[in-house]
Coordinates of all heavy atoms in Angstrom, one line a residue:
M19 N -74.8 -125.1 -6.6 CA -73.7 -124.3 -6.4 C -73.5 -123.3 -7.5 O -73.6 -123.6 -8.7 CB -72.5 -125.2 -6.2 CG -71.3 -124.4 -5.6 SD -69.8 -125.5 -5.6 CE -70.0 -126.1 -3.9
K20 N -73.2 -122.1 -7.1 CA -73.0 -121.0 -8.1 C -71.6 -121.1 -8.7 O -70.6 -121.4 -8.1 CB -73.1 -119.7 -7.4 CG -73.3 -118.6 -8.2 CD -73.5 -117.3 -7.4 CE -74.0 -116.2 -8.3 NZ -74.3 -115.0 -7.5
R21 N -71.6 -121.0 -10.0 CA -70.3 -121.1 -10.8 C -69.7 -119.7 -10.9 O -70.3 -118.8 -11.3 CB -70.5 -121.7 -12.2 CG -69.3 -121.8 -13.0 CD -69.6 -122.5 -14.2 NE -68.3 -122.5 -15.0 CZ -68.2 -122.7 -16.3 NH1 -69.4 -122.8 -17.0 NH2 -67.1 -122.7 -16.9
V22 N -68.4 -119.6 -10.5 CA -67.7 -118.4 -10.5 C -66.6 -118.4 -11.6 O -65.8 -119.4 -11.6 CB -67.1 -118.0 -9.2 CG1 -66.3 -116.7 -9.3 CG2 -68.1 -117.9 -8.1
E23 N -66.7 -117.5 -12.5 CA -65.6 -117.5 -13.6 C -64.5 -116.5 -13.2 O -64.8 -115.5 -12.6 CB -66.2 -117.1 -14.9 CG -67.2 -118.1 -15.5 CD -67.7 -117.7 -16.8 OE1 -67.0 -116.9 -17.5 OE2 -68.8 -118.2 -17.1
R24 N -63.3 -116.9 -13.6 CA -62.2 -116.0 -13.3 C -62.2 -114.9 -14.4 O -62.2 -115.2 -15.6 CB -60.9 -116.8 -13.4 CG -59.7 -115.9 -13.1 CD -58.4 -116.8 -13.2 NE -57.3 -115.9 -13.2 CZ -56.6 -115.6 -12.1 NH1 -57.0 -116.1 -10.9 NH2 -55.6 -114.8 -12.1
V25 N -62.1 -113.7 -13.9 CA -62.1 -112.5 -14.9 C -60.6 -112.0 -14.9 O -60.0 -111.7 -13.9 CB -63.0 -111.4 -14.3 CG1 -62.9 -110.2 -15.2 CG2 -64.4 -111.9 -14.2
E26 N -60.1 -111.9 -16.1 CA -58.8 -111.4 -16.4 C -58.7 -110.0 -16.2 O -59.7 -109.3 -16.6 CB -58.3 -111.9 -17.8 CG -58.1 -113.3 -17.9 CD -57.0 -114.0 -17.0 OE1 -56.0 -113.3 -16.7 OE2 -57.4 -115.0 -16.4
P27 N -57.7 -109.4 -15.6 CA -57.5 -107.9 -15.5 C -57.4 -107.2 -16.8 O -56.8 -107.8 -17.7 CB -56.3 -107.7 -14.6 CG -55.5 -109.0 -14.7 CD -56.5 -110.1 -15.0
V28 N -57.9 -106.1 -16.9 CA -57.8 -105.3 -18.2 C -56.5 -104.6 -18.2 O -56.0 -104.1 -17.2 CB -59.0 -104.3 -18.2 CG1 -58.8 -103.4 -19.5 CG2 -60.3 -105.0 -18.2
E29 N -55.8 -104.7 -19.3 CA -54.5 -104.1 -19.4 C -54.7 -102.5 -19.4 O -55.7 -102.0 -19.9 CB -53.8 -104.5 -20.7 CG -53.4 -106.0 -20.7 CD -52.4 -106.3 -19.6 OE1 -51.5 -105.5 -19.4 OE2 -52.5 -107.3 -19.0
A30 N -53.7 -101.9 -18.9 CA -53.8 -100.3 -18.9 C -53.9 -99.7 -20.2 O -54.5 -98.7 -20.4 CB -52.6 -99.8 -18.1
A31 N -53.3 -100.3 -21.2 CA -53.4 -99.7 -22.6 C -54.8 -99.9 -23.2 O -55.2 -99.2 -24.0 CB -52.3 -100.5 -23.5
D32 N -55.5 -100.9 -22.7 CA -56.8 -101.2 -23.3 C -57.8 -100.3 -22.6 O -58.9 -100.0 -23.2 CB -57.2 -102.7 -23.1 CG -56.4 -103.5 -23.9 OD1 -55.8 -103.1 -24.9 OD2 -56.3 -104.7 -23.5
A33 N -57.7 -99.9 -21.4 CA -58.6 -99.1 -20.6 C -58.3 -97.7 -20.7 O -57.3 -97.2 -20.1 CB -58.6 -99.5 -19.2
R34 N -59.0 -96.9 -21.6 CA -58.9 -95.5 -21.6 C -59.8 -94.7 -20.8 O -60.6 -94.0 -21.3 CB -58.9 -95.1 -23.1 CG -57.9 -95.6 -24.1 CD -56.5 -95.2 -23.7 NE -56.4 -93.7 -23.6 CZ -55.4 -93.1 -23.2 NH1 -54.4 -93.7 -22.7 NH2 -55.5 -91.8 -23.2
T35 N -59.9 -95.0 -19.6 CA -60.8 -94.4 -18.6 C -60.1 -93.3 -17.8 O -60.5 -93.0 -16.7 CB -61.4 -95.4 -17.7 OG1 -60.4 -96.1 -17.1 CG2 -62.3 -96.4 -18.5
D36 N -59.0 -92.8 -18.3 CA -58.3 -91.8 -17.6 C -58.6 -90.4 -18.1 O -59.1 -90.3 -19.2 CB -56.8 -92.1 -17.5 CG -56.1 -92.0 -18.9 OD1 -56.9 -91.9 -19.9 OD2 -54.9 -92.1 -18.9
F37 N -58.3 -89.4 -17.3 CA -58.5 -88.0 -17.7 C -57.2 -87.3 -17.9 O -57.2 -86.1 -17.9 CB -59.4 -87.3 -16.7 CG -60.8 -87.9 -16.6 CD1 -61.0 -88.8 -15.6 CD2 -61.7 -87.6 -17.5 CE1 -62.3 -89.4 -15.4 CE2 -63.0 -88.1 -17.4 CZ -63.3 -89.0 -16.4
A38 N -56.1 -88.0 -17.9 CA -54.7 -87.4 -17.9 C -54.5 -86.7 -19.3 O -55.0 -87.1 -20.3 CB -53.6 -88.4 -17.7
S39 N -53.6 -85.7 -19.3 CA -53.2 -85.1 -20.5 C -51.8 -85.6 -20.8 O -51.1 -86.3 -20.1 CB -53.1 -83.6 -20.3 OG -54.5 -83.1 -20.2
A40 N -51.2 -85.2 -22.0 CA -49.9 -85.5 -22.4 C -48.8 -84.9 -21.5 O -47.8 -85.5 -21.3 CB -49.7 -85.1 -23.9
S41 N -49.1 -83.7 -20.9 CA -48.1 -83.1 -20.1 C -48.8 -82.3 -19.0 O -50.0 -81.9 -19.2 CB -47.1 -82.2 -20.9 OG -47.9 -81.1 -21.5
V42 N -48.1 -81.9 -18.0 CA -48.7 -81.0 -16.9 C -49.0 -79.7 -17.5 O -50.1 -79.1 -17.2 CB -47.8 -81.1 -15.7 CG1 -48.3 -80.0 -14.7 CG2 -47.7 -82.4 -15.1
P43 N -48.1 -79.0 -18.2 CA -48.5 -77.7 -18.7 C -49.7 -77.7 -19.6 O -50.5 -76.8 -19.5 CB -47.2 -77.2 -19.5 CG -46.1 -78.0 -18.9 CD -46.7 -79.3 -18.5
R44 N -49.8 -78.7 -20.4 CA -51.0 -78.8 -21.3 C -52.3 -79.0 -20.4 O -53.3 -78.4 -20.7 CB -50.9 -80.0 -22.2 CG -52.1 -80.1 -23.2 CD -51.8 -81.2 -24.2 NE -50.7 -80.9 -25.0 CZ -50.2 -81.7 -25.9 NH1 -50.8 -82.9 -26.1 NH2 -49.2 -81.4 -26.7
H45 N -52.2 -79.7 -19.4 CA -53.3 -79.9 -18.5 C -53.7 -78.7 -17.7 O -54.9 -78.3 -17.7 CB -53.0 -81.1 -17.5 CG -54.3 -81.6 -16.9 ND1 -55.1 -82.6 -17.5 CD2 -54.9 -81.3 -15.7 CE1 -56.1 -82.8 -16.7 NE2 -56.0 -82.1 -15.6
L46 N -52.7 -77.9 -17.3 CA -53.0 -76.7 -16.6 C -53.5 -75.7 -17.6 O -54.4 -74.8 -17.2 CB -51.7 -76.1 -16.0 CG -51.2 -77.0 -14.8 CD1 -49.8 -76.4 -14.3 CD2 -52.2 -77.0 -13.6
L47 N -53.1 -75.7 -18.8 CA -53.7 -74.8 -19.8 C -55.2 -75.1 -20.1 O -56.0 -74.2 -20.1 CB -52.9 -74.9 -21.1 CG -53.4 -74.0 -22.2 CD1 -53.2 -72.5 -21.9 CD2 -52.6 -74.3 -23.5
R48 N -55.5 -76.4 -20.1 CA -56.9 -76.7 -20.2 C -57.8 -76.3 -19.1 O -58.9 -75.9 -19.2 CB -57.1 -78.3 -20.5 CG -56.7 -78.8 -21.8 CD -57.1 -80.2 -22.0 NE -56.9 -81.2 -20.9 CZ -57.9 -81.7 -20.2 NH1 -59.1 -81.3 -20.3 NH2 -57.5 -82.5 -19.3
G49 N -57.2 -76.4 -17.9 CA -57.9 -75.9 -16.7 C -58.1 -74.4 -16.7 O -59.1 -74.0 -16.3
A50 N -57.1 -73.7 -17.1 CA -57.1 -72.2 -17.1 C -58.2 -71.8 -18.1 O -59.0 -70.9 -17.9 CB -55.8 -71.6 -17.5
L51 N -58.3 -72.5 -19.2 CA -59.2 -72.2 -20.3 C -60.7 -72.5 -19.7 O -61.6 -71.7 -19.8 CB -58.9 -73.0 -21.5 CG -59.9 -72.8 -22.7 CD1 -59.8 -71.4 -23.2 CD2 -59.7 -73.9 -23.7
G52 N -60.8 -73.7 -19.1 CA -62.1 -74.1 -18.6 C -62.6 -73.2 -17.5 O -63.7 -72.7 -17.5
F53 N -61.8 -72.9 -16.5 CA -62.2 -72.0 -15.4 C -62.4 -70.6 -15.9 O -63.3 -69.9 -15.4 CB -61.2 -72.0 -14.3 CG -61.2 -73.3 -13.5 CD1 -60.2 -74.2 -13.4 CD2 -62.4 -73.6 -12.7 CE1 -60.2 -75.3 -12.7 CE2 -62.4 -74.8 -12.0 CZ -61.4 -75.6 -12.0
G54 N -61.6 -70.1 -16.9 CA -61.8 -68.8 -17.4 C -63.1 -68.6 -18.1 O -63.7 -67.6 -18.0
V55 N -63.4 -69.6 -19.0 CA -64.7 -69.5 -19.7 C -65.9 -69.6 -18.8 O -66.9 -68.9 -18.9 CB -64.8 -70.7 -20.8 CG1 -66.2 -70.8 -21.3 CG2 -63.9 -70.5 -21.9
L56 N -65.7 -70.4 -17.8 CA -66.8 -70.6 -16.7 C -67.0 -69.3 -16.0 O -68.1 -68.8 -15.8 CB -66.5 -71.7 -15.8 CG -67.7 -72.1 -14.9 CD1 -68.8 -72.7 -15.7 CD2 -67.1 -73.3 -14.0
A57 N -65.9 -68.7 -15.5 CA -66.0 -67.4 -14.8 C -66.4 -66.3 -15.7 O -67.2 -65.4 -15.2 CB -64.6 -67.1 -14.2
A58 N -66.0 -66.2 -16.9 CA -66.4 -65.1 -17.8 C -67.9 -65.3 -18.1 O -68.6 -64.2 -18.2 CB -65.6 -65.2 -19.1
S59 N -68.4 -66.5 -18.3 CA -69.8 -66.6 -18.6 C -70.7 -66.1 -17.5 O -71.8 -65.6 -17.7 CB -70.1 -68.0 -19.0 OG -70.0 -68.9 -17.9
I60 N -70.3 -66.4 -16.3 CA -71.0 -65.9 -15.1 C -70.9 -64.4 -14.8 O -71.8 -63.7 -14.6 CB -70.6 -66.7 -13.8 CG1 -71.0 -68.2 -14.0 CG2 -71.3 -66.2 -12.6 CD1 -70.5 -69.2 -13.0
A61 N -69.6 -63.9 -15.0 CA -69.3 -62.5 -14.7 C -70.0 -61.6 -15.7 O -70.3 -60.4 -15.4 CB -67.8 -62.3 -14.7
L62 N -70.2 -62.0 -16.9 CA -70.8 -61.2 -18.0 C -72.3 -61.2 -18.0 O -72.9 -60.5 -18.8 CB -70.2 -61.6 -19.3 CG -68.8 -61.3 -19.6 CD1 -68.3 -61.9 -20.9 CD2 -68.5 -59.8 -19.5
V63 N -73.0 -61.9 -17.0 CA -74.4 -61.8 -17.0 C -75.0 -60.5 -16.8 O -75.9 -60.1 -17.5 CB -74.9 -62.9 -16.0 CG1 -76.4 -62.7 -15.7 CG2 -74.7 -64.3 -16.4
P64 N -74.4 -59.7 -15.8 CA -75.0 -58.3 -15.6 C -74.8 -57.4 -16.8 O -75.6 -56.5 -17.0 CB -74.2 -57.8 -14.4 CG -73.7 -59.0 -13.7 CD -73.5 -60.0 -14.8
V65 N -73.7 -57.7 -17.6 CA -73.4 -56.8 -18.7 C -74.2 -57.2 -20.0 O -74.8 -56.3 -20.6 CB -71.9 -56.7 -19.0 CG1 -71.5 -55.9 -20.2 CG2 -71.1 -56.3 -17.7
A66 N -74.1 -58.4 -20.3 CA -74.6 -58.9 -21.6 C -75.9 -59.7 -21.5 O -76.4 -60.1 -22.5 CB -73.6 -59.7 -22.3
G67 N -76.4 -60.0 -20.2 CA -77.5 -60.8 -20.0 C -77.4 -62.2 -20.0 O -76.2 -62.7 -20.0
P68 N -78.4 -63.0 -19.7 CA -78.3 -64.4 -19.4 C -77.8 -65.2 -20.6 O -77.4 -66.4 -20.4 CB -79.7 -64.8 -19.0 CG -80.5 -63.6 -19.0 CD -79.8 -62.5 -19.5
A69 N -77.8 -64.6 -21.8 CA -77.3 -65.4 -22.9 C -75.8 -65.7 -22.8 O -75.5 -66.8 -23.5 CB -77.5 -64.6 -24.3
T70 N -75.1 -65.0 -22.0 CA -73.6 -65.4 -21.8 C -73.5 -66.8 -21.1 O -72.4 -67.4 -21.2 CB -72.9 -64.3 -21.0 OG1 -73.5 -64.2 -19.7 CG2 -72.9 -63.0 -21.8
L71 N -74.5 -67.3 -20.4 CA -74.5 -68.6 -19.7 C -74.4 -69.7 -20.8 O -74.0 -70.8 -20.4 CB -75.6 -68.7 -18.8 CG -75.6 -67.8 -17.6 CD1 -76.9 -68.0 -16.8 CD2 -74.4 -68.0 -16.7
L72 N -74.8 -69.4 -22.0 CA -74.7 -70.4 -23.0 C -73.2 -70.8 -23.3 O -72.9 -71.9 -23.9 CB -75.3 -69.9 -24.3 CG -76.8 -69.7 -24.2 CD1 -77.4 -69.1 -25.5 CD2 -77.5 -71.0 -23.9
A73 N -72.2 -70.0 -22.9 CA -70.8 -70.3 -23.1 C -70.3 -71.2 -22.0 O -69.2 -71.9 -22.2 CB -70.0 -69.0 -23.1
A74 N -71.0 -71.4 -20.9 CA -70.6 -72.3 -19.8 C -70.3 -73.7 -20.3 O -69.4 -74.3 -19.8 CB -71.6 -72.2 -18.7
P75 N -71.1 -74.3 -21.1 CA -70.9 -75.7 -21.4 C -69.6 -75.9 -22.2 O -69.0 -77.0 -22.2 CB -72.0 -76.0 -22.4 CG -73.1 -75.2 -21.9 CD -72.5 -73.9 -21.5
L76 N -69.0 -74.8 -22.8 CA -67.7 -74.9 -23.4 C -66.6 -75.3 -22.4 O -65.6 -75.9 -22.7 CB -67.3 -73.6 -24.1 CG -68.2 -73.2 -25.3 CD1 -67.8 -71.8 -25.8 CD2 -68.1 -74.2 -26.4
A77 N -66.8 -74.9 -21.2 CA -65.9 -75.2 -20.1 C -65.8 -76.7 -19.9 O -64.8 -77.3 -19.6 CB -66.2 -74.5 -18.8
L78 N -67.0 -77.4 -20.0 CA -67.0 -78.8 -19.9 C -66.2 -79.6 -20.9 O -65.6 -80.6 -20.7 CB -68.5 -79.3 -19.9 CG -69.4 -78.8 -18.9 CD1 -70.8 -79.2 -19.1 CD2 -68.9 -79.0 -17.5
I79 N -66.1 -78.9 -22.1 CA -65.2 -79.5 -23.1 C -63.7 -79.4 -22.7 O -63.0 -80.4 -22.9 CB -65.5 -78.9 -24.5 CG1 -66.9 -79.1 -25.0 CG2 -64.5 -79.3 -25.5 CD1 -67.3 -78.4 -26.2
A80 N -63.4 -78.3 -22.2 CA -62.0 -78.1 -21.8 C -61.6 -79.0 -20.6 O -60.6 -79.5 -20.4 CB -61.7 -76.6 -21.4
F81 N -62.7 -79.2 -19.6 CA -62.4 -80.0 -18.5 C -62.5 -81.5 -18.7 O -62.2 -82.3 -18.0 CB -63.5 -79.7 -17.4 CG -63.3 -78.4 -16.7 CD1 -64.5 -77.7 -16.4 CD2 -62.1 -77.9 -16.4 CE1 -64.3 -76.4 -15.7 CE2 -62.0 -76.7 -15.7 CZ -63.2 -76.0 -15.4
R82 N -63.0 -81.9 -20.0 CA -63.3 -83.3 -20.3 C -64.3 -83.8 -19.4 O -64.2 -85.0 -18.8 CB -62.0 -84.1 -20.3 CG -61.1 -83.8 -21.5 CD -60.0 -84.8 -21.4 NE -59.0 -84.4 -22.4 CZ -57.7 -84.9 -22.3 NH1 -57.4 -85.8 -21.5 NH2 -56.8 -84.5 -23.2
G83 N -65.3 -83.1 -19.0 CA -66.3 -83.5 -18.1 C -66.6 -82.3 -17.1 O -67.1 -81.3 -17.5
C84 N -66.3 -82.5 -15.9 CA -66.6 -81.5 -14.9 C -65.2 -81.1 -14.2 O -64.2 -81.6 -14.5 CB -67.5 -82.2 -13.9 SG -66.8 -83.6 -13.0
P85 N -65.3 -80.1 -13.4 CA -64.0 -79.7 -12.7 C -63.4 -80.8 -11.9 O -62.2 -80.9 -11.8 CB -64.5 -78.5 -11.8 CG -65.7 -77.9 -12.5 CD -66.4 -79.1 -13.1
T86 N -64.2 -81.7 -11.4 CA -63.7 -82.8 -10.6 C -62.9 -83.7 -11.6 O -61.9 -84.2 -11.3 CB -64.8 -83.6 -9.9 OG1 -65.5 -82.7 -9.0 CG2 -64.3 -84.7 -9.1
C87 N -63.5 -83.9 -12.8 CA -62.8 -84.8 -13.8 C -61.4 -84.1 -14.1 O -60.4 -84.8 -14.3 CB -63.6 -84.9 -15.0 SG -65.2 -85.6 -14.8
W88 N -61.4 -82.8 -14.2 CA -60.2 -82.1 -14.4 C -59.1 -82.3 -13.3 O -57.9 -82.6 -13.6 CB -60.4 -80.6 -14.7 CG -59.1 -79.9 -15.0 CD1 -58.5 -79.8 -16.2 CD2 -58.3 -79.2 -14.1 NE1 -57.4 -79.0 -16.1 CE2 -57.2 -78.7 -14.8 CE3 -58.4 -78.9 -12.7 CZ2 -56.2 -77.9 -14.1 CZ3 -57.5 -78.2 -12.1 CH2 -56.3 -77.7 -12.8
M89 N -59.6 -82.3 -12.1 CA -58.7 -82.5 -10.9 C -58.1 -83.9 -10.9 O -57.0 -84.2 -10.6 CB -59.5 -82.2 -9.6 CG -59.8 -80.7 -9.4 SD -58.4 -79.7 -9.3 CE -57.9 -80.2 -7.6
I90 N -59.0 -84.9 -11.1 CA -58.6 -86.3 -11.2 C -57.5 -86.4 -12.3 O -56.5 -87.1 -12.2 CB -59.8 -87.3 -11.5 CG1 -60.6 -87.2 -10.3 CG2 -59.3 -88.6 -11.9 CD1 -62.0 -87.9 -10.5
G91 N -57.8 -85.8 -13.5 CA -56.8 -85.8 -14.6 C -55.5 -85.2 -14.2 O -54.4 -85.7 -14.6
L92 N -55.5 -84.1 -13.4 CA -54.3 -83.5 -13.0 C -53.5 -84.5 -12.1 O -52.3 -84.6 -12.3 CB -54.6 -82.2 -12.2 CG -53.4 -81.4 -11.7 CD1 -52.5 -80.9 -12.8 CD2 -53.9 -80.3 -10.9
A93 N -54.1 -85.1 -11.2 CA -53.5 -86.1 -10.4 C -52.8 -87.2 -11.3 O -51.7 -87.6 -11.0 CB -54.4 -86.6 -9.3
Q94 N -53.6 -87.7 -12.2 CA -53.1 -88.7 -13.1 C -52.0 -88.3 -13.9 O -51.0 -89.0 -14.2 CB -54.2 -89.2 -14.0 CG -55.3 -90.0 -13.3 CD -56.4 -90.4 -14.2 OE1 -56.7 -89.9 -15.2 NE2 -57.2 -91.4 -13.8
T95 N -52.0 -87.0 -14.4 CA -51.0 -86.5 -15.3 C -49.7 -86.4 -14.5 O -48.6 -86.7 -14.9 CB -51.4 -85.1 -15.9 OG1 -52.6 -85.3 -16.6 CG2 -50.3 -84.6 -16.8
I96 N -49.8 -85.9 -13.2 CA -48.6 -85.7 -12.4 C -48.0 -87.1 -12.0 O -46.8 -87.2 -12.1 CB -48.9 -85.0 -11.1 CG1 -49.3 -83.5 -11.5 CG2 -47.8 -85.0 -10.1 CD1 -49.8 -82.7 -10.4
S97 N -48.9 -88.1 -11.7 CA -48.3 -89.4 -11.3 C -47.9 -90.3 -12.4 O -47.3 -91.3 -12.2 CB -49.4 -90.1 -10.4 OG -50.4 -90.5 -11.2
R98 N -48.3 -90.0 -13.6 CA -48.0 -90.8 -14.9 C -46.5 -91.0 -14.9 O -45.7 -90.1 -14.9 CB -48.5 -90.2 -16.1 CG -48.2 -91.1 -17.3 CD -49.1 -90.9 -18.4 NE -50.4 -91.5 -18.0 CZ -51.5 -91.2 -18.6 NH1 -51.5 -90.4 -19.7 NH2 -52.6 -91.7 -18.2
G99 N -46.1 -92.3 -15.0 CA -44.7 -92.6 -15.1 C -44.0 -92.7 -13.7 O -42.9 -93.2 -13.7
R100 N -44.7 -92.3 -12.6 CA -44.0 -92.5 -11.4 C -44.5 -93.7 -10.6 O -43.8 -94.2 -9.7 CB -44.3 -91.2 -10.5 CG -43.6 -90.0 -11.1 CD -43.9 -88.8 -10.3 NE -43.3 -87.6 -10.9 CZ -43.4 -86.4 -10.5 NH1 -44.2 -86.2 -9.4 NH2 -42.9 -85.4 -11.1
M101 N -45.7 -94.2 -10.9 CA -46.3 -95.3 -10.2 C -46.6 -96.3 -11.3 O -46.9 -96.0 -12.5 CB -47.5 -95.0 -9.5 CG -47.3 -93.9 -8.4 SD -46.3 -94.5 -7.1 CE -47.4 -95.7 -6.3
R102 N -46.6 -97.6 -11.0 CA -46.9 -98.6 -11.9 C -47.8 -99.7 -11.2 O -47.5 -100.0 -10.0 CB -45.6 -99.3 -12.4 CG -45.9 -100.4 -13.4 CD -44.7 -101.1 -13.9 NE -43.8 -101.6 -12.8 CZ -42.5 -101.5 -12.8 NH1 -41.9 -100.9 -13.8 NH2 -41.9 -102.0 -11.8
R103 N -48.9 -100.2 -11.9 CA -49.7 -101.1 -11.3 C -49.2 -102.5 -11.7 O -49.0 -102.8 -12.9 CB -51.2 -100.9 -11.8 CG -52.1 -101.8 -11.2 CD -53.5 -101.6 -11.6 NE -53.7 -101.8 -13.0 CZ -54.8 -101.8 -13.6 NH1 -55.9 -101.6 -12.9 NH2 -55.0 -102.1 -14.9
E104 N -49.1 -103.4 -10.8 CA -48.7 -104.7 -11.0 C -49.7 -105.7 -10.5 O -50.2 -105.6 -9.3 CB -47.3 -105.1 -10.4 CG -46.2 -104.3 -11.0 CD -44.9 -104.7 -10.3 OE1 -44.9 -105.3 -9.2 OE2 -43.8 -104.2 -10.8
C105 N -50.2 -106.6 -11.4 CA -51.2 -107.6 -11.0 C -50.7 -109.0 -11.1 O -50.1 -109.4 -12.0 CB -52.5 -107.4 -11.8 SG -53.3 -105.8 -11.8
A106 N -50.8 -109.7 -9.9 CA -50.4 -111.1 -9.9 C -51.5 -111.9 -9.1 O -51.8 -111.5 -8.0 CB -49.0 -111.2 -9.4
D107 N -51.9 -113.0 -9.6 CA -52.9 -113.9 -8.9 C -54.1 -113.2 -8.5 O -54.6 -113.4 -7.4 CB -52.2 -114.5 -7.7 CG -51.0 -115.5 -8.1 OD1 -51.1 -116.0 -9.2 OD2 -50.1 -115.5 -7.4
G108 N -54.6 -112.3 -9.3 CA -55.8 -111.6 -9.0 C -55.7 -110.4 -8.0 O -56.7 -109.8 -7.6
V109 N -54.5 -110.1 -7.6 CA -54.3 -109.1 -6.6 C -53.4 -108.0 -7.3 O -52.3 -108.2 -7.8 CB -53.5 -109.6 -5.4 CG1 -53.2 -108.4 -4.4 CG2 -54.3 -110.6 -4.7
C110 N -53.9 -106.7 -7.3 CA -53.2 -105.7 -7.9 C -52.6 -104.8 -6.8 O -53.2 -104.4 -5.8 CB -54.1 -104.8 -8.9 SG -54.7 -105.8 -10.3
T111 N -51.3 -104.3 -7.1 CA -50.7 -103.4 -6.1 C -50.0 -102.3 -7.0 O -49.7 -102.4 -8.1 CB -49.6 -104.1 -5.3 OG1 -48.6 -104.7 -6.2 CG2 -50.2 -105.2 -4.5
L112 N -49.8 -101.1 -6.3 CA -49.1 -100.0 -6.9 C -47.6 -100.1 -6.4 O -47.4 -100.3 -5.2 CB -49.6 -98.6 -6.4 CG -50.9 -98.3 -7.2 CD1 -51.5 -96.9 -6.6 CD2 -50.7 -98.1 -8.7
T113 N -46.7 -100.0 -7.3 CA -45.3 -99.9 -7.0 C -44.7 -98.7 -7.7 O -45.2 -98.2 -8.6 CB -44.6 -101.2 -7.5 OG1 -44.7 -101.4 -8.9 CG2 -45.1 -102.4 -6.8
K114 N -43.5 -98.3 -7.1 CA -42.8 -97.2 -7.7 C -42.1 -97.6 -9.0 O -41.5 -98.7 -9.0 CB -41.7 -96.7 -6.7 CG -41.2 -95.4 -6.9 CD -40.3 -95.0 -5.8 CE -39.9 -93.5 -6.0 NZ -39.2 -93.0 -4.9
A115 N -42.3 -96.9 -10.0 CA -41.7 -97.2 -11.3 C -40.2 -96.9 -11.4 O -39.7 -96.0 -10.6 CB -42.4 -96.3 -12.4
E116 N -39.5 -97.6 -12.2 CA -38.1 -97.4 -12.3 C -37.9 -96.0 -12.9 O -38.6 -95.6 -13.9 CB -37.5 -98.5 -13.2 CG -37.6 -99.8 -12.6 CD -36.8 -100.0 -11.3 OE1 -35.7 -99.4 -11.3 OE2 -37.3 -100.7 -10.4
P117 N -36.9 -95.3 -12.5 CA -36.6 -94.0 -13.2 C -36.2 -94.1 -14.6 O -35.5 -95.1 -15.0 CB -35.4 -93.4 -12.4 CG -34.9 -94.6 -11.6 CD -35.9 -95.6 -11.5
M118 N -36.7 -93.2 -15.4 CA -36.4 -93.2 -16.9 C -34.9 -92.8 -17.1 O -34.4 -91.9 -16.4 CB -37.3 -92.3 -17.6 CG -38.8 -92.7 -17.5 SD -39.9 -91.6 -18.3 CE -39.6 -91.9 -20.0
R119 N -34.3 -93.5 -18.0 CA -32.9 -93.1 -18.3 C -32.7 -92.5 -19.6 O -33.4 -92.7 -20.5 CB -32.0 -94.4 -18.2 CG -32.1 -94.9 -16.8 CD -31.4 -96.1 -16.6 NE -31.8 -96.5 -15.3 CZ -31.2 -97.4 -14.6 NH1 -30.3 -98.0 -15.0 NH2 -31.6 -97.6 -13.4

């Protein structure tokens, strides 16, 4: 018979696998910077040559990955503090967080 061990859930504070920023304006600023650098590096190819494409990876730094990572982070930043994950008996659910006073 196969032995199954119970795995304890990871606390949210321990798992830093999110892409959220400290605030929505800060996240939007990172997005504007990332999309701006990406658009500029492509738009300047006819003027300055293909060397401008070397600036495109700088957008990945602003996005903290890819544009999809930035979009996920935007959703996380907006929902931060509005939803709370509660885990009991190995089952996790999302509940509405109490309003901040």
Side-chain angles (χ1 to χ4, degrees):
M19 190 182 269
K20 195 175 194 180
R21 183 177 176 198
V22 178
E23 292 183 23
R24 181 178 170 94
V25 178
E26 294 298 320
V28 177
E29 294 296 322
D32 294 338
R34 294 299 306 171
T35 58
D36 63 354
F37 296 98
S39 294
S41 67
V42 174
R44 183 178 294 177
H45 197 83
L46 292 175
L47 181 64
R48 284 192 317 105
L51 180 67
F53 285 114
V55 168
L56 192 60
S59 68
I60 293 171
L62 290 175
V63 168
V65 176
T70 59
L71 294 175
L72 294 174
L76 295 176
L78 299 179
I79 295 170
F81 289 142
R82 291 186 190 162
C84 60
T86 304
C87 300
W88 180 83
M89 293 295 288
I90 292 169
L92 180 61
Q94 288 176 341
T95 304
I96 291 171
S97 70
R98 179 153 292 165
R100 295 182 181 170
M101 301 295 289
R102 181 179 55 220
R103 182 175 70 170
E104 294 179 351
C105 296
D107 298 328
V109 177
C110 296
T111 59
L112 282 177
T113 59
K114 196 171 187 178
E116 296 294 322
M118 298 176 74
R119 295 174 190 196

